[in-house]
Amino acid sequence: MTFYRTTRLMLSSAAILSFAGSAFALDGQDLLTKINAASSQQSGTISTDSIDIDGTTVTLKNAIYTPKGVQGFSVGDITLSGVEEQEDGSYYIEGATFEDVDSTAGGVTVTAKDLSLGGITVPAKPGDDSPDTMLWAENLHTGALKVVKDGAEVFSMLESDVNSTLREDESGFDIDGALKGMKFDLSKAGDPQSKEAIEKLALQHVQGDINLKGSWDLGPGTLDLSDLSFDFTNVGKLQFGLKISGYTLAFGKSLGQALDQADANPNKEEAQQALGLAVLGLAQQLTFEGAQIRFEDASITKRALDYAGSKQNVSGQQMADSLKAMTPIMLAQLNIPELQNAISAAVSTFLDDPKNLTVKATPDKPVAFPMILGAAMGAPNTVPQMLGVKVSAND
């Protein structure tokens, strides 16, 4: 009797678990439909031969990705792991992994490994008013990437990561990223003049990293690219910064719609004119808050001066002296005496001892883009003062 009751209990439990499992099974087609509903507004759509489900893992078999306005291409199987459907009908995906890339066309072979996305939010209904209605991922990762042309490796990269972190109060995103271990082989340049310049500048083999850091405050639409830097060994570090406001979710949607309309118009000349007017109209919503360009030399300046001087049958130092003398003469035509003196002084300081050169634009208060455009068209010499442009060297 005890055995009978125990057996019946086990069978009943199994039946209940089986029912629960089927009741809460993931709907792969619903997931793909919602991914496409959101991604179609941003980039493109995904189609697949079939959808396999194993617990919380969803595999899109033989997937084809079709970007906007471009013919679709195969991306193989896409494996979505840790898939959870939320109460509101949205989905959270812990990670998406893609098959390695190994493609050859026109004598060029591209390989890429360890392609993945992490922390993916799929909205129940796409929109433009909050992060909950956006399709976005917390992390984009690629492993080793190589480009081989005619049997020779011309480019490689160890790995890359881009992270986008939504703040707890959902007021915006903090962004950072890096492309690490990049290598360029320029020694195979075919053009004789290019080959000579590459050899004289010692740029046959260039390696370095690209780093990104920034933020996006959704309310005022403040996009702050605090650091975009290109740092290459024996060349230098080129760093950019830009801060604008008015780039809201609604602005992004309007810009996307303008691009879609331009793509859909078969008359490309008319489409470009309409797109230009639309962008000009949207630009009225933007304001400029600041920008910076900074170059930190790592020996490329001296080699460039020596090479340029050799073309004029003078030394690198003589070429530097010539540039210092020509700078104020060229700037005099702009009618910006105060900035002209600052630029001339900075150029002279840098050429005498190449360390760093910085151009900053920091207006006293944000400047609307239409004001900048109007000044550039009517009185271009007033733009530097309007934007608070300053130039310095070796600081």
Side-chain angles (χ1 to χ4, degrees):
M1 182 66 69
T2 301
F3 173 77
Y4 171 76
R5 289 176 177 174
T6 303
T7 302
R8 187 173 64 176
L9 177 62
M10 291 175 62
L11 291 174
S12 298
S13 298
I16 292 172
L17 290 173
S18 176
F19 174 77
S22 62
F24 294 101
L26 290 169
D27 185 339
Q29 187 57 56
D30 180 65
L31 171 61
L32 180 58
T33 298
K34 289 177 178 176
I35 289 175
N36 282 332
S39 66
S40 63
Q41 297 186 359
Q42 302 174 22
S43 55
T45 57
I46 298 172
S47 59
T48 181
D49 285 351
S50 62
I51 302 174
D52 292 351
I53 298 176
D54 182 6
T56 61
T57 300
V58 178
T59 304
L60 308 180
K61 306 291 290 186
N62 298 321
I64 294 177
Y65 178 63
T66 305
K68 283 186 175 183
V70 180
Q71 185 175 356
F73 56 90
S74 175
V75 293
D77 293 353
I78 303 175
T79 302
L80 310 176
S81 58
V83 181
E84 297 179 8
E85 184 175 7
Q86 311 299 311
E87 292 183 359
D88 63 354
S90 64
Y91 288 88
Y92 179 78
I93 305 171
E94 288 185 359
T97 56
F98 302 82
E99 292 185 355
D100 292 345
V101 175
D102 189 346
S103 175
T104 300
V108 178
T109 299
V110 178
T111 59
K113 298 181 178 181
D114 301 329
L115 309 175
S116 66
L117 295 170
I120 306 166
T121 297
V122 181
K125 293 183 179 180
D128 62 353
D129 56 350
S130 73
D132 293 336
T133 62
M134 298 167 55
L135 175 68
W136 62 280
E138 297 172 2
N139 171 263
L140 165 64
H141 173 80
T142 67
L145 186 150
K146 292 182 180 180
V147 178
V148 177
K149 181 179 181 181
D150 299 328
E153 185 178 300
V154 295
F155 172 77
S156 66
M157 180 177 65
L158 290 179
E159 63 176 349
S160 69
D161 277 286
V162 178
N163 304 299
S164 179
T165 304
L166 179 64
R167 298 169 190 160
E168 289 188 7
D169 61 1
E170 297 191 354
S171 64
F173 293 89
D174 294 314
I175 305 163
D176 67 85
L179 281 68
K180 300 178 181 178
M182 302 175 68
K183 294 182 179 180
F184 299 85
D185 185 352
L186 306 180
S187 62
K188 305 297 191 298
D191 179 64
Q193 292 185 343
S194 299
K195 190 175 184 64
E196 178 192 12
I198 289 170
E199 291 176 350
K200 294 294 184 180
L201 295 173
L203 296 177
Q204 297 95 326
H205 301 279
V206 179
Q207 56 184 341
D209 304 325
I210 297 178
N211 291 282
L212 165 70
K213 189 176 181 63
S215 63
W216 184 22
D217 292 322
L218 299 179
T222 301
L223 190 62
D224 185 0
L225 180 61
S226 56
D227 178 23
L228 174 60
S229 58
F230 302 78
D231 193 355
F232 292 94
T233 304
N234 296 325
V235 177
K237 181 178 181 180
L238 184 61
Q239 182 179 25
F240 297 92
L242 175 66
K243 186 175 183 180
I244 62 174
S245 59
Y247 197 99
T248 61
L249 290 171
F251 178 94
K253 180 180 180 180
S254 297
L255 181 59
Q257 291 174 340
L259 293 171
D260 289 344
Q261 291 172 1
D263 288 338
N265 191 337
N267 187 328
K268 295 307 175 184
E269 182 177 352
E270 181 182 276
Q272 288 300 317
Q273 292 177 349
L275 179 60
L277 291 173
V279 171
L280 187 62
L282 288 171
Q284 297 184 36
Q285 303 176 37
L286 302 176
T287 56
F288 175 86
E289 297 194 21
Q292 173 178 302
I293 301 176
R294 178 181 175 87
F295 175 68
E296 298 178 5
D297 182 70
S299 75
I300 188 65
T301 300
K302 184 180 184 307
R303 298 199 301 274
L305 289 171
D306 289 340
Y307 175 63
S310 68
K311 293 296 184 179
Q312 303 294 328
N313 295 318
V314 298
S315 67
Q317 182 58 54
Q318 289 173 316
M319 175 58 65
D321 291 338
S322 176
L323 289 174
K324 289 191 291 184
M326 291 172 58
T327 299
I329 297 175
M330 292 186 296
L331 291 174
Q333 304 175 39
L334 301 178
N335 190 26
I336 46 173
E338 184 177 345
L339 185 59
Q340 171 188 326
N341 294 334
I343 295 175
S344 298
V347 169
S348 294
T349 299
F350 178 76
L351 292 176
D352 286 341
D353 182 19
K355 291 182 179 177
N356 58 71
L357 186 65
T358 305
V359 180
K360 288 184 179 180
T362 53
D364 294 333
K365 59 182 180 180
V367 183
F369 269 64
M371 291 184 61
I372 300 173
L373 181 61
M377 295 176 62
N381 61 310
T382 65
V383 174
Q385 184 177 4
M386 174 186 295
L387 301 183
V389 178
K390 298 185 183 302
V391 182
S392 61
N394 299 350
D395 51 7

